[in-house]
Amino acid sequence: MIIALQTIDPGVVEELIDTRSVTGWDYLWAALTVLAAFLVAWLLKRGLSRGLAKVHGIPPRYSSLITTATTWSIRLLGIVFALPFLGVDITPFVIFILVIIALMIVAGRVILENYGAGLILQTRAPFKIDDDIATLQYEGTVREINARAVVLITPDGRRVSIPNSSVLSNPIETLTAHELRRSDLTVGVEYGTDLDRARDVLVAAVEAIDGVAVDPAPQAFVVEYAESAIDFEVWFWHESDILSGIMVTDEVARAINRALRAAGIVIAFPQRTLWWGDKARRPPDPTD
């Protein structure tokens, strides 16, 4: 095997480094540039360490990584900007640094998006720890807002981590933003029912339930003449957390069923009438 050794063209080196015009003052300015960069990096390190420590949800390892990367970047820039005083052409270095920065931005875009979204969620505070929220297809209690995700505990005991950027870019329902929250239940009664009486029975049944707020009072409205029923929508208010909503809705549904049965009001359900045989045996159709 023959290994060919190629020497570097001296002309290329002379184009990159030209020390013929470098003076003692140039060496001094180069040294001062590097010292200034190291001083700025030291001051920024102290400021970043204190600032990131005050931001809730950023783990110490992330704070250390951010601080170290920032300070060493400033030191490197100081060294690069000192090189022209020594007769070094920094154009290749600048291009190389820009390429590295571009690669880091592309590779860390998701991390940066989630980190920035986490800062916004913590500073603008659309919700806080222990709030019940609904976002995307999840409902649960907020347990943590960290640099990457919002952590929820769902009513069925699952731990869900939703990326901060997804939470910030989608609608957020803060269910516990107020003391009370309204739920509703649709109830269909059969055609021919006395609707005024049905409404009174529905409201009275809901008012008797523990956990249903007195003010605002429960209400019932006719909302639709559906195919097989006349639909009422029953409104009632309760404590705003998710579990209270589930439990009170269950109590309301069972109380309505008992009250309507006691009043002789039928809860309607879809019905179909089928006829077999020839037309002569079928009941007359008024449209014929």
Side-chain angles (χ1 to χ4, degrees):
M1 181 183 296
I2 301 176
I3 301 176
L5 299 177
Q6 295 182 349
T7 60
I8 299 176
D9 187 353
V12 174
V13 176
E14 290 180 359
E15 290 180 1
L16 294 176
I17 304 174
D18 183 9
T19 60
R20 290 172 296 181
S21 60
V22 177
T23 65
W25 286 105
D26 293 321
Y27 287 108
L28 177 61
W29 283 114
L32 290 175
T33 302
V34 173
L35 287 174
F38 274 68
L39 177 61
V40 171
W42 178 73
L43 293 173
L44 189 59
K45 181 179 180 180
R46 296 184 61 185
L48 271 178
S49 299
R50 294 175 181 176
L52 293 175
K54 296 178 181 179
V55 179
H56 176 74
I58 299 182
R61 64 181 182 275
Y62 287 170
S63 299
S64 177
L65 178 63
I66 293 170
T67 302
T68 301
T70 303
T71 52
W72 275 106
S73 297
I74 292 175
R75 291 167 184 164
L76 178 61
L77 287 175
I79 293 172
V80 169
F81 284 114
L83 292 178
F85 293 108
L86 304 179
V88 179
D89 183 5
I90 65 170
T91 302
F93 294 98
V94 172
I95 295 175
F96 175 76
I97 291 173
L98 291 177
V99 170
I100 295 297
I101 291 174
L103 292 175
M104 290 176 64
I105 290 175
V106 172
R109 180 178 59 85
V110 175
I111 296 176
L112 291 174
E113 285 180 357
N114 286 323
Y115 174 72
L119 290 178
I120 294 173
L121 289 174
Q122 292 177 59
T123 53
R124 299 194 61 179
F127 53 82
K128 58 184 183 297
I129 302 299
D130 292 332
D131 267 343
D132 286 355
I133 69 169
T135 183
L136 298 173
Q137 70 268 38
Y138 300 103
E139 282 188 351
T141 303
V142 178
R143 285 289 177 258
E144 184 181 353
I145 308 171
N146 57 44
R148 191 191 71 83
V150 174
V151 180
L152 301 181
I153 302 298
T154 63
D156 57 355
R158 293 177 296 158
R159 180 184 175 92
V160 181
S161 297
I162 309 175
N164 291 329
S165 57
S166 296
V167 175
L168 191 63
S169 60
N170 284 279
I172 306 168
E173 292 183 66
T174 306
L175 303 177
T176 51
H178 306 289
E179 183 179 353
L180 297 177
R181 178 166 58 89
R182 196 198 79 198
S183 291
D184 54 72
L185 193 66
T186 301
V187 180
V189 300
E190 68 176 355
Y191 277 87
T193 300
D194 184 336
L195 298 183
D196 292 333
R197 181 166 174 262
R199 181 192 60 196
D200 293 341
V201 170
L202 291 170
V203 171
V206 177
E207 287 177 337
I209 300 299
D210 290 336
V212 172
V214 176
D215 185 20
Q219 295 176 286
F221 307 93
V222 175
V223 293
E224 183 180 8
Y225 283 88
E227 182 178 354
S228 301
I230 301 174
D231 288 340
F232 279 88
E233 189 169 284
V234 183
W235 290 3
F236 51 95
W237 294 76
H238 52 79
E239 292 184 2
S240 58
D241 61 281
I242 294 174
L243 185 58
S244 291
I246 295 171
M247 296 178 65
V248 172
T249 301
D250 170 72
E251 292 287 342
V252 166
R254 290 192 284 125
I256 286 175
N257 184 62
R258 291 192 298 267
L260 291 179
R261 288 174 60 187
I265 299 174
V266 176
I267 298 178
F269 55 90
Q271 301 181 53
R272 295 290 185 270
T273 302
L274 302 178
W275 296 93
W276 286 270
D278 58 20
K279 184 175 180 180
R281 299 178 57 190
R282 193 174 59 189
D285 186 343
T287 62
D288 288 344

